[in-house]
Amino acid sequence: MEITTALTADVLVIGFGKGGKTAAHALAEAGRRVVLIERSENMYGGTCPNVGCVPTKMLVHYSGTKRLKDDAQEFFAHSIAGVRALTSAFRAGNFEALNGRDNAVVITGTARFVDPYTVAIGEGPDLVTVTAPTILVNTGSEPVIPPIPGLASSPHLVSSAELTRTRNLPERLVVLGGGYLGLEFAGIYRHFGTEVTVLEAAGRLLPREDEDIAGSVGEILSGDGIRVVTGAKVTEVRDDGAVSTVVYEKDGRTHTVEASALLPATGRRPVTDGLRLDAAGVRTAENGAIVVDEFLRSSQPHIYALGDVNGGEQFTYISLDDARIVLDQLLGEGKRSTGDRRAVPHTLFITPPLATVGLTESQARAQGLNIKVSREKVADIVAMPRAYTVEETRGVMKFVVDSDTDLVLGAALLSIDAQEIVNTVALAIRHGITATQLRDSIYTHPSSTEALNEVFDKLIR
């Protein structure tokens, strides 16, 4: 499709993230004329392959292969070069796969709504307008910098995106926030050789998880040499040449820690500034998220919002499922909705990873359910030799089972391959597979999944 000053399309997609590109490909395949607008040539494909999931998990892998004899700075620079090469290839592939179609075009620039059916890109002689009867907004989210005096102006302030691109390994990294993002980067940089401190305002890590699981995570992080301070309220950042001094309060006392790099990991907000959603009559929430119904339709029914921008869970696979819902509206029966989602798994990619799904023990007991709970240290699970073959026996597996129905209600897996095992457990929860059936299933050997044979056998007996 040729770019002219005034384009018309069947579908306009704003943002090249997972949801937007998935929908764009499917709609183009169905014969629709598609225009996709992405504001940065460095973000073709979205956050995940460029500055999110792919580079961070690649860095997790690289950091775990560092040997004692390796020079930390050289090894890190080599690892970042590998990350850049892969993300560059993915970025080019994403662009060509869509822009190479006869009925699709990618425009690089910042979009703003002119009216409910039209957006403009550029100014003056470079102005391009696109009009379409169906519009998908997939502009993602961006990090929030907390209003701590001195933080925003600090020369040592870094974003998660910058940390996946810089070739300089910081000597001291201070992470503000002990959530998924913060703990992943803490683990990555500690394994590369950086001195890492995590300052978490809450009284403990991972408050949504059971205390025993959060405690086990804390023990592993501390065992790796990461300093974790909970109940820490950061009050100020002072700059002093090569380092920043982070001032925080804990238990009524004032403490300080020095940082050559300072990463805020206290949340992300939807990217809607500059979109001029008011011109389109699209309603937004207080945090800027586009308000949608269960079919992801905004207050303008022909405008859909996919991924982080709609205020839902901020995961690539949720954005993918958003695309499925929207495609069912545009090409299917229009029945699929966010209400269909059950047992959505999550993984925190520390080493070993923590993967969770369903109810925690605390949640199940709060609901008054009659439950059985299994908690086994990975090192004690005889039927899981893979943990020994890869020399990673740290962690614990915890399952919550309904005593009356034998159905699995939830799991917390802090173990090697947890990110894979949890998908089997999630599938079991969604389709009513019992703990007994999981126990009696046949799994490959040696694998981590076969731990289910032993863990559920002890629980059921």
Side-chain angles (χ1 to χ4, degrees):
M1 187 185 298
E2 184 182 355
I3 300 178
T4 61
T5 55
L7 287 173
T8 59
D10 296 318
V11 181
L12 167 62
V13 182
I14 306 174
F16 210 146
K18 184 67 172 181
K21 71 179 181 183
T22 300
H25 277 288
L27 291 163
E29 188 70 28
R32 308 290 176 88
R33 292 173 302 153
V34 177
V35 173
L36 188 149
I37 302 170
E38 169 53 51
R39 67 177 178 176
S40 171
E41 62 182 9
N42 293 319
M43 291 299 287
Y44 297 147
T47 295
C48 179
N50 290 296
V51 296
C53 318
V54 171
T56 55
K57 278 52 177 182
M58 196 172 184
L59 287 174
V60 169
H61 166 70
Y62 276 134
S63 67
T65 64
K66 180 179 176 293
R67 301 165 300 182
L68 290 175
K69 67 178 183 179
D70 291 324
D71 178 82
Q73 185 62 60
E74 289 181 4
F75 186 84
F76 180 74
H78 173 76
S79 299
I80 290 295
V83 167
R84 286 184 173 183
L86 182 64
T87 56
S88 178
F90 279 1
R91 192 159 50 247
N94 274 298
F95 179 82
E96 292 300 331
L98 187 62
N99 197 63
R101 291 177 177 271
D102 291 336
N103 59 334
V105 66
V106 176
I107 299 176
T108 304
T110 301
R112 62 188 184 279
F113 278 93
V114 176
D115 60 49
Y117 295 93
T118 306
V119 302
I121 309 99
E123 302 284 351
D126 297 324
L127 177 67
V128 175
T129 61
V130 183
T131 301
T134 301
I135 299 176
L136 315 184
V137 182
N138 182 222
T139 48
S141 62
E142 61 188 1
V144 173
I145 299 178
I148 298 169
L151 176 60
S153 60
S154 172
H156 302 112
L157 176 70
V158 293
S159 68
S160 57
E162 289 169 334
L163 285 179
T164 64
R165 292 171 175 164
T166 179
R167 294 177 183 268
N168 296 316
L169 180 67
E171 181 180 349
R172 299 173 183 176
L173 173 66
V174 173
V175 181
L176 306 183
Y180 276 37
L181 180 69
L183 294 185
E184 285 186 8
F185 273 97
I188 289 169
Y189 277 81
R190 180 58 198 144
H191 289 142
F192 274 120
T194 296
E195 181 181 312
V196 179
T197 300
V198 177
L199 301 178
E200 168 56 49
R204 67 176 177 89
L205 290 178
L206 306 174
R208 295 182 182 179
E209 306 302 332
D210 288 326
E211 284 194 35
D212 57 341
I213 298 299
S216 295
V217 169
E219 290 174 4
I220 286 175
L221 296 176
S222 296
D224 283 341
I226 298 171
R227 181 176 175 232
V228 178
V229 184
T230 56
K233 180 184 178 182
V234 179
T235 58
E236 184 184 2
V237 174
R238 303 171 186 160
D239 285 314
D240 184 19
V243 297
S244 290
T245 299
V246 181
V247 183
Y248 65 94
E249 295 177 354
K250 178 178 171 63
D251 299 329
R253 295 183 178 181
T254 299
H255 306 265
T256 61
V257 59
E258 291 186 341
S260 49
L262 187 54
L263 172 66
T266 52
R268 297 173 65 87
R269 63 185 169 211
V271 176
T272 52
D273 287 348
L275 271 177
R276 288 295 313 278
L277 291 169
D278 55 330
V282 173
R283 189 161 62 93
T284 58
E286 187 175 344
N287 67 347
I290 296 176
V291 177
V292 295
D293 62 14
E294 63 179 327
F295 302 107
L296 304 180
R297 298 175 301 204
S298 72
S299 51
Q300 292 280 14
H302 69 285
I303 299 177
Y304 297 81
L306 301 79
D308 296 2
V309 76
N310 66 28
E313 289 189 295
Q314 296 176 348
F315 297 101
T316 296
Y317 46 89
I318 294 297
S319 187
L320 171 61
D321 198 59
D322 283 355
R324 294 175 182 140
I325 292 171
V326 171
L327 288 170
D328 188 46
Q329 288 288 307
L330 301 178
L331 301 176
E333 298 180 351
K335 296 180 179 179
R336 188 164 187 155
S337 76
T338 55
D340 299 327
R341 291 173 181 159
R342 289 185 59 243
V344 177
H346 307 99
T347 301
L348 167 60
F349 282 89
I350 53 175
T351 303
L354 170 66
T356 59
V357 66
L359 298 179
T360 64
E361 178 185 358
S362 301
Q363 290 170 335
R365 294 194 186 284
Q367 292 182 22
L369 298 174
N370 183 23
I371 61 173
K372 295 183 290 186
V373 177
S374 170
R375 187 182 187 279
E376 297 285 339
K377 290 184 178 180
V378 170
D380 295 336
I381 303 176
V382 177
M384 191 179 173
R386 172 160 166 75
Y388 286 90
T389 64
V390 298
E391 300 180 318
E392 180 56 272
T393 59
R394 296 179 299 173
V396 63
M397 288 188 172
K398 183 174 183 178
F399 293 89
V400 180
V401 174
D402 190 306
S403 297
D404 300 325
T405 64
D406 196 36
L407 293 174
V408 181
L409 300 176
L413 312 172
L414 177 60
S415 73
I416 184 71
D417 298 330
Q419 76 279 8
E420 303 293 348
I421 307 169
V422 74
N423 291 322
T424 297
V425 179
L427 192 65
I429 294 175
R430 284 194 292 271
H431 294 280
I433 305 300
T434 65
T436 300
Q437 289 171 315
L438 285 174
R439 179 198 65 180
D440 296 340
S441 292
I442 300 173
Y443 306 106
T444 57
H445 174 83
S447 69
S448 295
T449 312
E450 64 181 329
L452 301 180
N453 292 138
E454 181 176 328
V455 172
F456 284 119
D457 184 60
K458 291 181 178 180
L459 185 66
I460 294 166
R461 278 187 296 169

